[in-house]
Amino acid sequence: MQTQDKPSLYDRLGGVYNIATVIDDLIDRVMVDPRLNANPRVDEAHHRVSAAGFKYYVTELACSAAGGTQTYSGRSMGDSHRHLMITEDEWRAFMDDVQQTLNKFEVPEPERQELIAIIESTKEAIVVAPFQEGPAPEERAEQRA
């Protein structure tokens, strides 16, 4: 039986002020990344939404996912990203931005891995699958009937 629980990721990262500082850098980096802004939908979104609001929601989400008391009040990852048609290459560019920010703040490896796992858990809702060749699945079913 453990006598002392391991502190949450939120606590190990130093709470909301430290997390907000890291998110501030990450969003500044993401908003101007030419690899991401090459996608016209992403570029338009980066010019339509305020960086401050974007930082607020991502900070809320990060704190909540890391075990803080904050509650994420934004839209789902799918609802807020699906229309952007984000590709696998763009996801890799975003993850590179994440790594650069984590490097800048010298986030220790155990916490870095936990953060990356949290971020990777959102990938399926954010990245669109490449278009499939041939008829849509419902058309294939009709053809077989």
Side-chain angles (χ1 to χ4, degrees):
M1 189 170 163
Q2 287 187 335
T3 56
Q4 206 173 42
D5 290 332
K6 179 179 180 181
S8 69
L9 177 59
Y10 176 84
D11 289 332
R12 287 179 282 132
L13 292 172
V16 68
Y17 295 111
N18 285 352
I19 293 170
T21 300
V22 170
I23 297 302
D24 182 65
D25 180 84
L26 175 62
I27 299 307
D28 284 347
R29 191 180 304 275
V30 165
M31 295 290 268
V32 299
D33 188 332
R35 300 170 297 177
L36 301 176
N37 288 326
N39 176 333
R41 290 176 182 93
V42 171
D43 186 52
E44 188 272 329
H46 284 169
H47 288 91
R48 183 175 33 82
V49 301
S50 82
F54 192 21
K55 291 173 184 183
Y56 171 80
Y57 281 122
V58 176
T59 298
E60 220 179 40
L61 179 62
C63 288
S64 175
T69 59
Q70 295 78 5
T71 302
Y72 176 60
S73 60
R75 297 183 304 158
S76 74
M77 291 298 103
D79 287 348
S80 55
H81 292 88
R82 190 174 301 113
H83 66 285
L84 300 176
M85 305 297 287
I86 294 171
T87 66
E88 185 69 36
D89 285 344
E90 292 160 350
W91 177 263
R92 281 193 293 273
F94 168 73
M95 291 305 295
D96 179 57
D97 289 339
V98 169
Q99 291 288 359
Q100 289 178 51
T101 292
L102 297 178
N103 289 343
K104 176 179 176 178
F105 290 97
E106 300 177 352
V107 174
E109 194 59 31
E111 288 76 16
R112 175 185 299 254
Q113 291 307 314
E114 285 182 62
L115 285 167
I116 289 171
I118 290 168
I119 296 165
E120 286 287 346
S121 75
T122 68
K123 180 180 178 181
E124 187 175 316
I126 293 173
V127 176
V128 295
F131 291 112
Q132 296 179 346
E133 294 294 324
E138 60 274 0
E139 292 174 19
R140 287 193 297 266
E142 289 172 8
Q143 291 171 352
R144 283 180 268 178

